[in-house]
Amino acid sequence: MKIADNMYVAIEYSLNLESGQEVDRSQEGQPLGFITGASQIIPGLEKALSGMAVGDAADITVEPEDGYGAVRDDLFQEVPRNQFPADVEIKEGMSFEAQGPHGPFMIVVSSINDNDTVTVDLNHPMAGQRLHFTVKVVEVREPSAEEIARLASGCGCGCGTSSQADCSSSGCNCG
């Protein structure tokens, strides 16, 4: 069976940046599972996997526009210093988890302007990056009714992968 829209797919993968730095990988025996066409993985990776079958392996390069997008200047914002914990010394490059309307997201301190404001970068940490995946397809099948229901309820978090937030607080009960 080949990967097509609305299929359950599981892959073993590693993700490296252009520099060669590995930034993510599936854990041994815990492949990343997703339903194609459900926006659970970046578009460039999903497109490259289309037509592959169990046992197929590939090195896939995803350009920024098909990954996490280009770095957007409008996502650099000044934030009052008092929005950060008072007991933390803020430094450039520090990252913090914030809560948004769609769940947690990361912000990175871009610069410290003065004693009253900090510029933060709200771009995805991999925005503007060319991504290099090494993948192996380990499962391709029709999704189960439970997987479709979980997707419809918003539980498509990818529980069990090291790069994803813990889903236990979302009510998913997956992983």
XYZ file of all heavy atoms in Angstrom, residues 76-158:
632
model
N 8.559 39.777 15.361
C 9.453 40.293 16.398
C 8.663 41.369 17.127
O 8.187 42.316 16.492
C 10.733 40.889 15.800
C 11.677 39.847 15.273
C 11.553 39.358 13.981
C 12.695 39.358 16.076
C 12.424 38.401 13.494
C 13.574 38.397 15.595
C 13.437 37.917 14.305
N 8.486 41.209 18.419
C 7.652 42.153 19.167
C 8.331 42.568 20.462
O 9.017 41.775 21.104
C 6.302 41.509 19.483
C 5.512 41.181 18.247
C 4.157 40.571 18.579
O 3.799 40.398 19.730
N 3.412 40.233 17.551
N 8.084 43.828 20.822
C 8.565 44.333 22.106
C 7.561 43.949 23.183
O 6.359 44.097 23.000
C 8.743 45.847 22.070
C 9.998 46.264 21.355
C 10.343 47.723 21.581
O 10.011 48.277 22.647
O 10.953 48.286 20.669
N 8.090 43.442 24.283
C 7.265 42.999 25.402
C 7.790 43.687 26.665
O 9.005 43.766 26.869
C 7.364 41.456 25.557
C 6.597 40.971 26.773
C 6.894 40.757 24.298
N 6.886 44.184 27.506
C 7.349 44.773 28.769
C 8.116 43.735 29.600
O 7.722 42.568 29.673
C 6.053 45.178 29.469
C 5.033 45.260 28.387
C 5.440 44.254 27.348
N 9.192 44.158 30.198
C 10.032 43.279 31.018
C 9.228 42.606 32.126
O 9.481 41.467 32.489
C 11.204 44.087 31.601
C 12.037 43.377 32.669
C 12.685 42.103 32.120
N 13.541 41.452 33.077
C 13.151 40.473 33.909
N 11.909 40.081 33.936
N 14.009 39.899 34.721
N 8.207 43.310 32.640
C 7.419 42.747 33.740
C 6.533 41.570 33.312
O 5.880 40.962 34.150
C 6.598 43.828 34.440
C 5.544 44.447 33.553
O 5.279 43.974 32.449
N 4.943 45.532 34.029
N 6.529 41.222 32.028
C 5.791 40.045 31.560
C 6.592 38.756 31.771
O 6.072 37.671 31.558
C 5.435 40.187 30.075
C 4.491 41.330 29.784
C 3.145 41.115 30.431
O 2.518 40.069 30.246
N 2.692 42.088 31.209
N 7.851 38.894 32.182
C 8.713 37.753 32.447
C 8.840 37.567 33.954
O 8.665 38.518 34.715
C 10.100 37.983 31.829
C 10.078 38.028 30.330
C 9.867 39.220 29.661
C 10.270 36.876 29.590
C 9.840 39.267 28.276
C 10.244 36.909 28.204
C 10.031 38.107 27.546
N 9.181 36.360 34.390
C 9.358 36.135 35.832
C 10.390 37.109 36.419
O 11.465 37.305 35.854
C 9.848 34.692 35.925
C 9.413 34.055 34.635
C 9.417 35.144 33.611
N 10.053 37.709 37.532
C 10.918 38.715 38.162
C 12.241 38.125 38.627
O 13.254 38.828 38.654
C 10.183 39.369 39.333
N 12.261 36.854 38.965
C 13.471 36.240 39.517
C 14.398 35.651 38.450
O 15.363 34.976 38.768
C 13.097 35.166 40.533
C 12.269 34.043 39.922
O 11.637 34.267 38.867
O 12.255 32.939 40.502
N 14.112 35.920 37.169
C 14.919 35.363 36.084
C 15.705 36.483 35.410
O 15.142 37.509 35.030
C 14.020 34.651 35.041
C 14.831 34.190 33.844
C 13.296 33.479 35.674
N 17.019 36.266 35.260
C 17.845 37.219 34.523
C 17.659 36.932 33.029
O 18.041 35.863 32.534
C 19.318 37.066 34.911
C 20.211 38.052 34.192
C 21.688 37.851 34.500
O 22.026 37.090 35.426
O 22.498 38.458 33.782
N 17.045 37.864 32.321
C 16.739 37.679 30.899
C 18.006 37.917 30.084
O 18.693 38.918 30.261
C 15.626 38.656 30.446
C 14.383 38.514 31.311
C 15.311 38.469 28.975
C 13.735 37.168 31.247
N 18.295 36.975 29.166
C 19.456 37.085 28.286
C 19.024 36.797 26.857
O 18.074 36.039 26.623
C 20.531 36.076 28.702
C 21.097 36.302 30.079
C 22.152 35.270 30.397
C 22.676 35.485 31.810
N 23.675 34.483 32.160
N 19.748 37.373 25.893
C 19.476 37.088 24.482
C 19.622 35.597 24.219
O 20.518 34.949 24.747
C 20.432 37.872 23.587
C 20.134 39.346 23.554
C 21.040 40.115 22.606
O 21.641 39.498 21.704
O 21.138 41.338 22.788
N 18.708 35.070 23.415
C 18.749 33.656 23.062
C 17.962 32.753 23.994
O 17.718 31.592 23.670
N 17.556 33.271 25.151
C 16.751 32.459 26.079
C 15.409 32.154 25.427
O 14.871 32.956 24.684
C 16.489 33.218 27.385
C 17.689 33.362 28.271
S 17.264 34.269 29.775
C 16.706 32.914 30.800
N 14.866 30.999 25.743
C 13.542 30.663 25.231
C 12.612 30.410 26.402
O 13.028 29.956 27.466
C 13.599 29.454 24.298
O 14.109 28.339 24.960
N 11.359 30.737 26.173
C 10.318 30.567 27.172
C 9.116 29.937 26.493
O 8.848 30.183 25.323
C 9.876 31.926 27.755
C 10.924 32.619 28.551
C 11.861 33.443 27.941
C 10.986 32.451 29.930
C 12.835 34.092 28.673
C 11.951 33.095 30.676
C 12.878 33.917 30.047
N 8.383 29.151 27.241
C 7.130 28.611 26.727
C 6.016 29.554 27.146
O 5.954 29.987 28.291
C 6.867 27.211 27.287
C 5.651 26.563 26.663
C 5.485 25.122 27.097
O 6.292 24.275 26.682
O 4.532 24.865 27.852
N 5.169 29.896 26.197
C 4.017 30.758 26.467
C 2.759 30.005 26.079
O 2.796 29.053 25.294
C 4.134 32.056 25.679
N 1.650 30.426 26.610
C 0.366 29.797 26.295
C -0.387 30.701 25.332
O -0.555 31.885 25.578
C -0.435 29.586 27.583
C -1.661 28.734 27.422
C -1.329 27.284 27.068
O -0.314 26.739 27.459
N -2.191 26.641 26.321
N -0.828 30.131 24.218
C -1.602 30.879 23.235
C -2.960 30.243 23.033
O -3.274 29.228 23.666
N -3.761 30.797 22.145
C -5.106 30.259 21.917
C -5.110 28.840 21.344
O -6.084 28.122 21.474
C -5.736 31.254 20.934
C -4.595 31.996 20.330
C -3.483 31.969 21.325
N -3.998 28.418 20.728
C -3.904 27.074 20.142
C -2.974 26.181 20.946
O -2.507 25.159 20.454
C -3.437 27.160 18.689
C -4.326 27.991 17.829
N -5.599 27.609 17.490
C -4.153 29.209 17.293
C -6.156 28.544 16.763
N -5.300 29.535 16.629
N -2.676 26.588 22.183
C -1.819 25.781 23.035
C -0.474 26.446 23.249
O -0.263 27.604 22.909
N 0.481 25.687 23.807
C 1.783 26.262 24.122
C 2.604 26.544 22.867
O 2.462 25.861 21.855
C 2.445 25.193 24.988
C 1.751 23.933 24.649
C 0.359 24.297 24.218
N 3.445 27.576 22.958
C 4.378 27.883 21.887
C 5.627 28.499 22.506
O 5.613 28.934 23.650
C 3.759 28.809 20.831
C 3.447 30.192 21.329
C 4.312 31.249 21.099
C 2.267 30.450 22.036
C 4.025 32.524 21.568
C 1.970 31.715 22.489
C 2.856 32.765 22.263
N 6.705 28.489 21.741
C 7.985 28.995 22.240
C 8.200 30.426 21.773
O 7.889 30.765 20.640
C 9.145 28.138 21.728
C 9.151 26.721 22.250
S 9.228 26.584 24.036
C 10.846 27.258 24.352
N 8.751 31.244 22.671
C 9.226 32.572 22.307
C 10.706 32.622 22.644
O 11.165 31.980 23.591
C 8.450 33.705 23.016
C 8.592 33.616 24.542
C 6.991 33.713 22.609
C 8.014 34.799 25.270
N 11.458 33.344 21.846
C 12.895 33.458 22.046
C 13.224 34.930 22.234
O 12.741 35.783 21.487
C 13.676 32.884 20.842
C 15.174 33.091 20.999
C 13.358 31.404 20.659
N 14.050 35.227 23.226
C 14.486 36.600 23.463
C 15.476 36.973 22.366
O 16.518 36.342 22.222
C 15.127 36.755 24.855
C 15.690 38.163 25.032
C 14.119 36.425 25.945
N 15.112 37.968 21.573
C 15.955 38.423 20.480
C 16.930 39.493 20.942
O 18.099 39.480 20.582
C 15.078 38.963 19.348
O 15.866 39.476 18.309
N 16.439 40.439 21.746
C 17.313 41.487 22.277
C 16.698 42.080 23.533
O 15.485 42.022 23.747
C 17.571 42.583 21.241
O 16.368 43.240 20.904
N 17.568 42.648 24.347
C 17.133 43.342 25.549
C 17.327 44.824 25.262
O 18.461 45.282 25.067
C 17.943 42.876 26.770
C 17.721 41.378 26.953
C 17.554 43.670 28.013
C 18.660 40.715 27.905
N 16.226 45.560 25.182
C 16.284 46.925 24.701
C 16.716 47.915 25.770
O 17.488 48.817 25.515
C 14.926 47.337 24.133
C 14.488 46.349 23.065
O 15.305 45.821 22.331
N 13.209 46.073 22.999
N 16.186 47.766 26.940
C 16.526 48.613 28.080
C 15.965 47.915 29.312
O 15.638 46.742 29.247
C 15.966 50.037 27.908
C 14.473 50.046 27.619
O 13.732 49.220 28.208
O 14.024 50.871 26.817
N 15.848 48.604 30.399
C 15.337 47.958 31.612
C 13.846 47.662 31.560
O 13.336 46.917 32.382
C 15.646 48.820 32.841
C 17.127 48.810 33.159
O 17.840 47.883 32.790
N 17.583 49.839 33.840
N 13.135 48.246 30.574
C 11.687 48.108 30.565
C 11.123 47.196 29.474
O 10.002 46.734 29.587
C 11.037 49.490 30.430
C 11.335 50.386 31.621
O 11.442 49.857 32.745
O 11.473 51.603 31.412
N 11.872 46.947 28.389
C 11.331 46.125 27.299
C 12.345 45.103 26.799
O 13.554 45.289 26.907
C 10.870 46.981 26.094
O 11.996 47.631 25.528
C 9.796 47.975 26.492
N 11.789 44.046 26.235
C 12.566 42.956 25.655
C 11.942 42.671 24.290
O 10.722 42.647 24.163
C 12.470 41.693 26.553
C 13.136 40.506 25.897
C 13.052 41.961 27.926
N 12.771 42.468 23.257
C 12.238 42.071 21.952
C 12.257 40.550 21.892
O 13.292 39.922 22.148
C 13.070 42.657 20.798
O 13.034 44.081 20.884
C 12.503 42.225 19.446
N 11.104 39.979 21.565
C 10.996 38.529 21.446
C 10.710 38.156 20.002
O 10.123 38.934 19.249
C 9.906 37.951 22.382
C 10.259 38.185 23.836
C 8.538 38.509 22.059
N 11.134 36.974 19.639
C 10.922 36.428 18.302
C 9.844 35.359 18.416
O 10.037 34.342 19.079
C 12.235 35.833 17.799
C 12.136 35.226 16.410
O 11.045 35.235 15.809
O 13.182 34.740 15.926
N 8.711 35.595 17.767
C 7.595 34.652 17.815
C 7.578 33.710 16.610
O 6.657 32.907 16.466
C 6.269 35.411 17.908
C 6.135 36.324 19.128
C 4.832 37.112 19.067
C 6.221 35.532 20.413
N 8.585 33.813 15.745
C 8.703 32.871 14.636
C 8.965 31.477 15.189
O 9.553 31.318 16.267
C 9.887 33.259 13.732
C 9.592 34.443 12.855
O 8.849 34.331 11.892
N 10.165 35.601 13.198
N 8.556 30.459 14.455
C 8.906 29.098 14.832
C 10.432 29.009 14.868
O 11.110 29.609 14.015
C 8.327 28.097 13.818
C 8.496 26.683 14.243
N 9.691 26.015 14.121
C 7.629 25.812 14.813
C 9.553 24.786 14.589
N 8.320 24.639 15.011
N 11.006 28.289 15.826
C 12.479 28.197 15.910
C 13.145 27.695 14.628
O 14.311 27.986 14.389
C 12.717 27.219 17.059
C 11.485 27.313 17.896
C 10.355 27.595 16.938
N 12.416 26.970 13.778
C 13.011 26.479 12.533
C 12.547 27.262 11.306
O 12.792 26.842 10.175
C 12.755 24.985 12.381
C 13.602 24.173 13.352
S 13.539 22.422 13.076
C 12.195 21.966 14.158
N 11.903 28.422 11.524
C 11.520 29.280 10.399
C 12.779 29.716 9.663
O 13.804 30.003 10.277
C 10.741 30.491 10.892
N 12.703 29.730 8.344
C 13.840 30.145 7.530
C 14.906 29.085 7.345
O 15.896 29.309 6.657
N 14.706 27.913 7.908
C 15.706 26.844 7.847
C 15.382 25.832 6.754
O 14.222 25.433 6.589
C 15.753 26.092 9.178
C 16.113 26.925 10.367
C 17.607 27.136 10.489
O 18.411 26.360 9.970
N 17.980 28.191 11.180
N 16.409 25.396 6.036
C 16.285 24.248 5.134
C 16.431 23.013 6.014
O 17.368 22.900 6.798
C 17.386 24.286 4.077
C 17.327 23.094 3.135
C 18.394 23.175 2.075
N 18.016 24.205 1.123
C 18.870 25.008 0.507
N 20.159 24.916 0.741
N 18.430 25.903 -0.340
N 15.482 22.097 5.919
C 15.417 20.925 6.798
C 15.794 19.659 6.030
O 15.327 19.451 4.912
C 14.006 20.785 7.364
C 13.452 22.036 8.055
C 11.989 21.837 8.426
C 14.275 22.391 9.267
N 16.615 18.832 6.662
C 17.070 17.590 6.037
C 16.579 16.408 6.869
O 17.013 16.219 8.003
C 18.596 17.573 5.938
C 19.130 18.696 5.104
N 19.199 18.637 3.737
C 19.591 19.921 5.464
C 19.688 19.781 3.280
N 19.933 20.580 4.315
N 15.666 15.647 6.289
C 15.098 14.474 6.954
C 15.692 13.215 6.369
O 15.883 13.108 5.157
C 13.577 14.411 6.726
C 12.795 15.462 7.434
C 12.541 16.685 6.825
C 12.285 15.237 8.708
C 11.802 17.658 7.470
C 11.548 16.205 9.357
C 11.304 17.424 8.743
N 15.951 12.252 7.220
C 16.233 10.879 6.803
C 15.061 10.078 7.346
O 14.801 10.099 8.552
C 17.566 10.374 7.385
O 18.609 11.213 6.892
C 17.823 8.931 6.987
N 14.294 9.454 6.457
C 13.065 8.774 6.878
C 13.029 7.334 6.396
O 13.639 6.986 5.389
C 11.795 9.502 6.355
C 11.722 10.915 6.865
C 11.717 9.484 4.853
N 12.290 6.536 7.157
C 11.963 5.171 6.747
C 10.498 4.962 7.076
O 10.059 5.211 8.200
C 12.810 4.141 7.486
C 12.485 2.716 7.056
C 13.356 1.686 7.753
C 12.975 0.293 7.270
N 13.727 -0.723 7.993
N 9.737 4.533 6.091
C 8.309 4.272 6.285
C 8.158 2.905 6.943
O 8.649 1.908 6.422
C 7.551 4.308 4.941
C 6.070 4.021 5.150
C 7.747 5.657 4.238
N 7.477 2.880 8.097
C 7.315 1.612 8.813
C 5.869 1.130 8.837
O 5.618 -0.040 9.161
C 7.883 1.682 10.253
C 9.388 1.910 10.209
C 7.210 2.750 11.078
N 4.914 1.997 8.490
C 3.511 1.564 8.475
C 2.713 2.480 7.556
O 2.881 3.699 7.575
C 2.931 1.624 9.898
C 1.546 1.033 10.033
C 1.061 0.995 11.480
O 1.755 1.501 12.384
O -0.033 0.448 11.687
N 1.832 1.886 6.768
C 0.883 2.614 5.922
C -0.404 1.813 5.933
O -0.404 0.619 5.620
C 1.370 2.757 4.457
C 0.333 3.477 3.613
C 2.711 3.471 4.386
N -1.506 2.452 6.335
C -2.795 1.752 6.385
C -3.928 2.770 6.449
O -3.697 3.969 6.596
C -2.843 0.828 7.601
C -2.697 1.569 8.924
C -2.889 0.646 10.123
N -2.504 1.245 11.369
C -3.183 2.182 12.027
N -4.330 2.651 11.542
N -2.747 2.678 13.178
N -5.129 2.263 6.354
C -6.303 3.102 6.571
C -6.341 3.497 8.040
O -6.032 2.666 8.906
C -7.586 2.329 6.215
C -7.710 1.935 4.761
C -7.978 3.114 3.842
O -8.615 4.096 4.289
O -7.531 3.049 2.682
N -6.700 4.728 8.365
C -6.785 5.106 9.781
C -7.975 4.425 10.449
O -9.001 4.169 9.810
C -6.963 6.621 9.748
C -7.485 6.921 8.383
C -6.994 5.837 7.471
N -7.832 4.138 11.736
C -8.925 3.526 12.486
C -9.983 4.582 12.799
O -9.728 5.786 12.726
C -8.402 2.933 13.794
O -7.998 3.973 14.679
N -11.160 4.135 13.178
C -12.233 5.055 13.567
C -11.796 5.900 14.759
O -12.101 7.097 14.830
C -13.498 4.264 13.896
N -11.070 5.290 15.701
C -10.583 6.026 16.876
C -9.603 7.126 16.466
O -9.656 8.243 16.977
C -9.916 5.066 17.854
C -9.367 5.760 19.090
C -8.661 4.786 20.028
O -9.209 3.699 20.299
O -7.557 5.142 20.466
N -8.705 6.829 15.525
C -7.739 7.833 15.061
C -8.443 8.984 14.359
O -8.086 10.146 14.558
C -6.712 7.183 14.132
C -5.759 6.265 14.866
C -5.036 5.283 13.969
O -5.492 5.015 12.830
O -4.005 4.755 14.432
N -9.458 8.678 13.585
C -10.222 9.727 12.907
C -10.989 10.563 13.917
O -11.013 11.792 13.838
C -11.166 9.115 11.847
C -10.326 8.508 10.711
C -12.138 10.161 11.314
C -11.113 7.663 9.742
N -11.588 9.922 14.917
C -12.329 10.644 15.957
C -11.391 11.540 16.761
O -11.730 12.684 17.080
C -13.047 9.661 16.881
N -10.219 11.034 17.088
C -9.243 11.819 17.843
C -8.815 13.034 17.024
O -8.678 14.124 17.552
C -8.054 10.941 18.204
C -7.133 11.577 19.209
C -6.061 10.652 19.736
N -5.569 9.702 18.758
C -5.287 8.436 19.027
N -5.461 7.948 20.229
N -4.830 7.642 18.095
N -8.638 12.847 15.731
C -8.272 13.948 14.844
C -9.387 14.991 14.807
O -9.141 16.188 14.909
C -7.988 13.408 13.439
C -7.550 14.414 12.398
C -6.207 15.025 12.786
C -7.444 13.734 11.044
N -10.627 14.533 14.702
C -11.773 15.443 14.650
C -11.932 16.218 15.949
O -12.415 17.343 15.959
C -13.049 14.668 14.341
N -11.485 15.623 17.069
C -11.610 16.305 18.362
C -10.444 17.242 18.629
O -10.399 17.887 19.670
C -11.702 15.273 19.497
O -10.447 14.648 19.680
N -9.497 17.309 17.690
C -8.353 18.190 17.869
C -7.158 17.524 18.500
O -6.171 18.167 18.795
N -7.234 16.213 18.727
C -6.108 15.512 19.336
C -5.226 14.946 18.235
O -5.306 13.784 17.898
C -6.593 14.381 20.247
S -5.225 13.530 21.057
N -4.407 15.797 17.665
C -3.469 15.351 16.648
C -2.078 15.784 17.017
O -1.305 16.198 16.190
N -1.783 15.693 18.284
C -0.584 16.328 18.833
C 0.697 15.560 18.594
O 1.764 16.083 18.848
C -0.785 16.562 20.323
S -1.250 15.068 21.209
N 0.641 14.347 18.146
C 1.867 13.586 17.944
C 2.467 13.105 19.247
O 3.673 13.111 19.417
